[in-house]
Amino acid sequence: MKPNTVLVNDYYTTESFARIKALADQHETPFVVIDRNIIKQHYDNLESRFPYAQIYYAVKANPAVEILTLLRDRGARFDIASVYELDKVLGLGVTADRCSYGNTIKKRKDIRYFYEKGVRLFASDAEPDLRNIAELAPGAKVYIRILTEGSHTADWPLSRKFGCQIDMAVELLVLAKQLGLEPYGLSFHVGSQQRDIGAWDAAIGKVKIIFDRLRDENGIHLKMINLGGGFPANYISRTNDLATYATEITRFLKEDFGDHFPEIILEPGRSLCSNAGILVSEVVLISRKSSTSLHRWVFTDVGKFSGLIETLGEAIKYPIYTEKQGESEEAVIAGPTCDSADIMYEDHKVELPLDLQIGDRMYWFSTGAYTTTYSAIEFNGFPPLKQFIIE
Ligand SMILES: *Cc1c(COP(=O)(O)O)cnc(C)c1O
């Protein structure tokens, strides 16, 4: 038996936790509380560590209006994946020149919609999509997303589905020019919560090959590299801090491109929002499957279908804090729905205090990104996960 090792101050300042908790105490679980100040700190930190980069917030991480307006006011740009996200961001007074259409999977009419609203920067990774862009967004800037390796060191890989091989990227950028588009640059995403900084080295190396080939063989001078997201949030598995990511990635860029980088874009989602949020749930049931079983099952009122989908495959290991601090024992943690897939952690045994009781609260740390947006709307009748935002 070990004590529960999740400590508040490894994740939040005492002051911030107190303010989140004061609000949490007034509401029925489950819900997420976001401290907007923390997002501001992460944004400012990212900006100062990458002074040469433009930051496009990946809206899907958390599209709360309060977050979008905070980032709008700090001068951020927005990586947008759908017409709905676009309408929301433009509706907050962001101009279209601060938006990119970063989804490689798009309907023809949506390409037209983005173009009509004034967006001129499009991602692509396939010829049919590129031809659609040329037709429906004539003259736009396009960047081609390339495949990257390193998905085994990212806790939430984003690789296989998106991007194309180097040769195809070259062909698509040549075609883009022929079709009257502006072949603008390249993008990649090394996988979300990427713990191996070397993944950027390999990806930037591929980008360099494509830049050189297009310049030497086709007279095309690309202008931009989109380094994607993948920057870390603070979960159970350790990562380097952002300063180390920045130092290393800057070094990789210098090695390949010298002192005069192309335009650099970052698309953070998780690293800006995760640490700003705490999901608060309540213990519904604690049981054992037999009287001699060595571990308990702890059922709580939030689950895979109400915001914790990133526990799929036990990929993201959220730190779980409870106010009981005594002797602990391993527990399986599961959600409230009538679906046996609704188990968050079974292999990854979480130590929970032995005196944890039905009705006690569980605080899921670092849940400010990819939680509320992933919550089902009415599975077993449970409403979507609520969110409160404090300053
Ligand atoms: C989801 C996504 C991001 C954000 O990635 P994080 O790892 O959350 O920072 C960035 N770019 C694209 C294209 C994405 O789909």
Side-chain angles (χ1 to χ4, degrees):
M1 278 186 245
K2 292 174 252 154
N4 184 320
T5 49
V6 172
L7 301 174
V8 170
N9 290 137
D10 286 345
Y11 298 89
Y12 304 92
T13 63
T14 306
E15 194 254 334
S16 174
F17 185 71
R19 288 187 307 121
I20 291 174
K21 186 152 179 319
L23 185 116
D25 288 347
Q26 298 166 28
H27 295 275
E28 285 275 320
T29 60
F31 53 84
V32 174
V33 184
I34 301 264
D35 181 346
R36 219 165 69 130
N37 250 314
I38 299 176
I39 299 179
K40 188 164 94 201
Q41 286 159 15
H42 283 291
Y43 182 85
D44 292 350
N45 187 31
L46 189 68
E47 207 175 33
S48 72
R49 300 286 176 192
F50 289 96
Y52 51 84
Q54 287 179 338
I55 300 174
Y56 282 68
Y57 174 56
V59 175
K60 75 174 187 292
N62 192 325
V65 166
E66 296 89 338
I67 296 175
L68 297 176
T69 52
L70 167 82
L71 296 174
R72 173 199 68 194
D73 295 345
R74 299 197 91 64
R77 297 169 181 235
F78 296 88
D79 170 47
I80 295 182
S82 71
V83 293
Y84 310 102
E85 284 183 355
L86 181 66
D87 282 344
K88 187 165 185 181
V89 168
L90 295 182
L92 296 172
V94 173
T95 48
D97 59 342
R98 288 166 68 180
C99 300
S100 66
Y101 196 172
N103 194 343
T104 53
I105 305 159
K106 26 183 142 51
K107 292 181 179 172
R108 286 169 58 83
K109 70 175 171 48
D110 294 348
I111 296 173
R112 178 53 108 186
Y113 190 82
F114 271 70
Y115 185 76
E116 280 169 355
K117 293 286 175 182
V119 176
R120 293 291 178 271
L121 185 58
F122 291 74
S124 189
D125 65 1
E127 184 177 331
D129 180 59
L130 191 67
R131 289 189 181 278
N132 284 339
I133 296 171
E135 186 185 330
L136 300 155
K141 294 173 178 169
V142 285
Y143 57 93
I144 299 299
R145 180 154 168 184
I146 59 168
L147 278 166
T148 55
E149 283 104 41
S151 56
H152 59 288
T153 46
D155 287 333
W156 195 256
L158 283 168
S159 40
R160 233 159 25 84
K161 181 172 172 185
F162 305 102
C164 61
Q165 299 284 6
I166 291 179
D167 287 345
M168 184 173 281
V170 170
E171 286 161 23
L172 290 175
L173 286 160
V174 170
L175 178 64
K177 189 169 180 199
Q178 287 164 5
L179 294 172
L181 295 164
E182 183 179 349
Y184 197 63
L186 292 161
S187 75
F188 56 79
H189 196 304
V190 294
S192 200
Q193 190 69 5
Q194 176 56 265
R195 284 178 283 116
D196 177 11
I197 306 178
W200 275 271
D201 194 13
I204 291 167
K206 286 189 176 185
V207 164
K208 169 70 173 160
I209 291 171
I210 300 171
F211 263 67
D212 289 352
R213 268 179 60 184
L214 283 167
R215 185 195 58 218
D216 297 343
E217 296 169 20
N218 306 94
I220 292 175
H221 295 265
L222 296 180
K223 298 197 182 73
M224 181 275 278
I225 310 173
N226 178 337
L227 304 177
F231 303 101
N234 203 0
Y235 300 117
I236 291 284
S237 309
R238 290 198 43 181
T239 62
N240 283 291
D241 59 11
L242 187 76
T244 309
Y245 278 71
T247 308
E248 290 296 292
I249 290 170
T250 304
R251 188 166 65 77
F252 303 148
L253 284 168
K254 283 204 170 129
E255 275 170 14
D256 281 332
F257 289 92
D259 284 335
H260 301 288
F261 300 168
E263 184 185 317
I264 301 292
I265 284 177
L266 309 178
E267 292 177 336
R270 187 184 302 280
S271 61
L272 293 184
C273 295
S274 286
N275 296 351
I278 297 182
L279 193 163
V280 186
S281 73
E282 183 184 301
V283 178
V284 179
L285 177 69
I286 302 177
S287 65
R288 289 178 200 267
K289 297 295 176 187
S290 77
S291 57
T292 54
S293 170
L294 293 173
H295 59 260
R296 294 162 299 165
W297 281 66
V298 172
F299 299 90
T300 183
D301 62 359
V302 71
K304 268 216 168 71
F305 303 105
S306 45
L308 296 175
I309 195 71
E310 288 201 319
T311 60
L312 208 70
E314 313 202 2
I316 299 290
K317 296 182 178 67
Y318 298 105
I320 300 171
Y321 170 81
T322 70
E323 284 170 290
K324 303 271 171 68
Q325 291 293 318
E327 284 290 289
S328 296
E329 188 189 67
E330 287 177 349
V332 177
I333 303 185
T337 66
C338 302
D339 187 322
S340 59
D342 192 9
I343 299 171
M344 282 77 85
Y345 300 122
E346 193 168 9
D347 291 334
H348 162 60
K349 293 283 188 330
V350 180
E351 296 277 336
L352 287 177
L354 278 169
D355 56 352
L356 188 72
Q357 284 173 4
I358 291 173
D360 285 351
R361 287 188 161 198
M362 295 166 72
Y363 298 85
W364 301 70
F365 288 174
S366 305
T367 42
Y370 304 123
T371 50
T372 51
T373 41
Y374 273 139
S375 177
I377 54 166
E378 209 186 36
F379 185 44
N380 272 167
F382 291 107
L385 186 59
K386 289 176 295 208
Q387 176 163 259
F388 303 107
I389 310 228
I390 59 172
E391 286 297 320

